[in-house]
Amino acid sequence: MKQSNSERRTHAKDTSQPVGEALPVRLKPVFGIEPGKWLTVMLTAGIAVVLFVLLLLPGIIDRHVVYDIESTPPSATVHLNGQRIGSTPLRYAVPAGSHTLTVARPYFSPESREIEAGGRVVGSLFASERQVLNITLRPDSSDADPASRLMEDAALDFSRWAALGAERADRPVPAILVPAVRDLQAMDVPNAAIQEFLLARIKDVTFEPVLNDLMRALALTRGATEPPRTFETEEIVSFFEQFEVVSQTWLQWLVRILPSSETETIRDSREYQMELEAGRNLEHGYSEAVVDTGREAGATPLRRLGGKDFRSVPSGKLLQGFGEALGVDDRTPTRRRIDVAPFLIATAPVSVSEFRTFVEAHPQWAPEARDDLVSAGLADTVYLADFDTQPGTAPVTGVSWHAARAYAAWFNETHGEAITSLGFNFEARLPGENEWAWAAILDRHAYDVASGAFSRSSGPATLDGARTGRLGLEDMLGNVWEWMDDPWYRASSTLRIEGSRADAGLGPSFPRVVRGGSWANPRAAVGTESRGGQEAHWATPFLGFRLVIGVQN
């Protein structure tokens, strides 16, 4: 059968171009270059660009060496060409070139290194050139005793944070003693000496974060590389007993410094109740005994020395924590009996006229020398601010602890022969806190205080002999707070540590005890056990002092 012309055309079309079959693509030459060649060139160039970007460009744009910088002691600041870049241990990319790298830490001499950072060009994106730099700092060569200064500053910082207490610490408490220990160890200070310094801090512990700092620091002296962050309650007493710290009031102390949620078991324990009962037992018959002793002492004649009257105070047993209208529970000071040696105490605080005689002999302590005293850390900017406007019979105020000590030394030098005749190794000085408390209890306990010494609005009352107790001592409570010779530890009225320890942390500004209240306080707020602390360079219109004559400290 013959095909029609249309059938023949369709058949021919289907035979030459089947439906669904791809047509071949043919690239044209570029600038006369055959496609096979220029495609290969482009692919090769693309690979080269990628390799350049990944392997070479980072090294060209940012050629550097990564330094791992470590120091002994750690936490030293690192400066590169004078710019701070961090603290050790530190990893830092140092740009290629010549640089000065300085590592510094307080109490140590800074250490500088000239470094030449090369840095690899190839592959720096994946593996930078690395260098390790270990730097050992040496104690500050310009300081005669950097270790002592470090301990003094650390003790003062620790004391200031402890003064806040948990209720006022509105931000995290920094570690103070742990870095101090690392620094002291880097100075090759023996661990035994560091432990003595730390153990003196225990009486400043008032809440949990500062307790943890102290315990972690002590753990470092026993070889711990990374002491625990916290300690279980039952571990605390046994931990300190490892260091031969002995106290009969551990549990009362823990109840005050730890959160109440952690002390319920302690409060319910038999041991805690026994501690409280021991304090109650110490009070039996004590009030009657001090009244009798005070009356007997008050009947003895006064001693006149350097134009000042002094009262002889007999030896006795001071019951620490015993005061007016104070019961015995977990909020009041803990009780302990302390032997007090006999001494003499001035019947009145030092007056303005008496202090004026001193500054005339030693003008370096006059108000005009205030700027020099401030620069030396011996006073603050309100030192003797009201000196020229106060009447001569008023108690001198605005005196720092250092100024009060200088007055005592001058009095001692001026009347040394008469003082030594009163007793072997006697001297004029500021009262020890136990001496002042013993005299205050003998003089004042169970007596009301004249209202003129409290709640005043215009400064202290003049010294007129109207406000005295059984010993004839004027204003042992009220009118002006009085400097004591003792350092002030915030927890010492709660944690009664047996024995005594030298404290290497007592720097020129460390707080000192003040006792007795002032003219600005309400009567109900002040008792014979009232105490506080002021940094030794502070001078306030509420604070004065009186002298005692007793065995040299």
Side-chain angles (χ1 to χ4, degrees), residues 84-158:
R84 188 181 187 277
I85 59 175
S87 300
T88 58
L90 175 67
R91 175 170 291 177
Y92 191 80
V94 178
S98 300
H99 304 278
T100 300
L101 187 140
T102 303
V103 177
R105 183 158 177 79
Y107 316 104
F108 293 85
S109 296
E111 184 75 19
S112 294
R113 300 283 178 86
E114 299 298 326
I115 58 176
E116 193 70 37
R120 62 178 57 161
V121 175
V122 179
S124 63
L125 181 64
F126 303 101
S128 298
E129 181 180 342
R130 294 185 181 278
Q131 297 282 347
V132 176
L133 194 60
N134 289 305
I135 295 179
T136 299
L137 299 177
R138 303 298 177 190
D140 187 356
S141 57
S142 65
D143 193 324
D145 192 356
S148 293
R149 188 163 61 89
L150 189 161
M151 286 190 279
E152 291 171 0
D153 291 348
L156 181 58
D157 285 346
F158 189 79

Side-chain angles (χ1 to χ4, degrees), residues 127-210:
S128 298
E129 181 180 342
R130 294 185 181 278
Q131 297 282 347
V132 176
L133 194 60
N134 289 305
I135 295 179
T136 299
L137 299 177
R138 303 298 177 190
D140 187 356
S141 57
S142 65
D143 193 324
D145 192 356
S148 293
R149 188 163 61 89
L150 189 161
M151 286 190 279
E152 291 171 0
D153 291 348
L156 181 58
D157 285 346
F158 189 79
S159 175
R160 286 170 172 169
W161 277 100
L164 292 177
E167 66 280 1
R168 290 188 292 167
D170 56 355
R171 59 187 187 274
V173 178
I176 296 169
L177 299 181
V178 167
V181 169
R182 297 190 194 277
D183 287 347
L184 292 168
Q185 290 175 331
M187 293 178 180
D188 295 325
V189 176
N191 278 331
I194 299 174
Q195 288 173 7
E196 285 298 302
F197 160 71
L198 293 174
L199 291 171
R201 311 273 72 75
I202 188 174
K203 291 186 292 185
D204 247 341
V205 172
T206 54
F207 62 120
E208 193 172 24
V210 292

Side-chain angles (χ1 to χ4, degrees), residues 136 360 424 433 461:
T136 299
E360 288 172 355
F424 175 72
E433 185 177 11

Side-chain angles (χ1 to χ4, degrees), residues 5 38 49 77 104 149 260 272 308 354 377 383 411 414 444 486 517 530:
N5 290 336
W38 66 256
V49 169
T77 57
R149 188 163 61 89
S260 57
Y272 177 67
K308 191 82 171 175
E354 289 169 336
Y383 173 75
F411 191 92
T414 305
R444 189 68 60 177
D486 307 67
S530 299

Side-chain angles (χ1 to χ4, degrees), residues 342-344 412 416 419-428 549-552:
F343 62 98
L344 292 89
N412 206 50
I419 290 171
T420 55
S421 69
L422 297 174
F424 175 72
N425 213 23
F426 268 27
E427 66 174 353
I549 297 174
V551 176
Q552 294 179 5

Side-chain angles (χ1 to χ4, degrees), residues 100 118 134 141-142 161 170 245 265 282 305 314 378 397 403 416 479:
T100 300
N134 289 305
S141 57
S142 65
W161 277 100
D170 56 355
V245 179
T265 302
L282 289 174
L305 185 62
L378 301 177
T397 59
N479 219 20

Side-chain angles (χ1 to χ4, degrees), residues 252 256 272 276 280 326-335:
Q252 294 177 73
R256 299 194 196 190
Y272 177 67
L276 295 180
R280 296 186 186 99
L326 294 179
V328 182
D329 59 25
D330 60 358
R331 296 180 301 278
T332 58
T334 56
R335 277 40 174 173

